[in-house]
């Protein structure tokens, strides 16, 4: 199972209570399921509005189940923010 880092930005960082944490998941969907279990409540709501970058590439409208994660990769969690 690939392992890497999830980085939270802005409102996602505040809701998670951390700037980053490790993942061990094969897909973005699996990683986000673990995140929701670790941080129930506000972060779960924030994630519904977020965009995601996987190793610098936007996920866009792709199904999270189809987005494969790499060993040593990075998932950026980007909530919408004013002016951005």
């Amino acid at each position: 199972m690939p392992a890497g880092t999830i980085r939270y930005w802005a409102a996602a960082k505040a809701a998670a209570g951390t700037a980053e944490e490790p993942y061990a998941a094969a897909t973005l969907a699996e990683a986000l399921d673990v995140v929701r279990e670790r941080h129930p409540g506000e972060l779960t709501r924030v994630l519904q509005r977020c965009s995601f970058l996987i190793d610098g590439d936007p996920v866009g409208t792709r199904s999270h189940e189809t987005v494969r994660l790499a060993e040593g990769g990075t998932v950026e969690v980007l909530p919408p923010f004013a002016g951005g």
Side-chain angles (χ1 to χ4, degrees):
M1 176 126 356
T5 303
I6 299 175
R7 291 191 184 136
Y8 300 105
W9 297 96
K13 180 178 172 181
T18 187
E20 63 181 47
E21 62 186 345
Y23 72 74
T27 67
L28 178 57
E30 290 174 10
L32 293 177
D33 285 346
V34 171
V35 165
R36 288 182 193 101
E37 289 176 19
R38 283 185 195 156
H39 307 283
E42 184 60 24
L43 183 58
T44 297
R45 289 184 284 282
V46 170
L47 290 175
Q48 294 172 352
R49 300 183 305 273
C50 287
S51 298
F52 303 93
L53 297 177
I54 307 299
D55 299 327
D57 294 324
V59 170
T61 60
R62 290 183 287 160
S63 169
H64 295 169
E65 289 81 12
T66 66
V67 179
R68 307 292 299 167
L69 300 180
E71 179 68 30
T74 302
V75 175
E76 307 277 350
V77 180
L78 307 167
F81 44 104

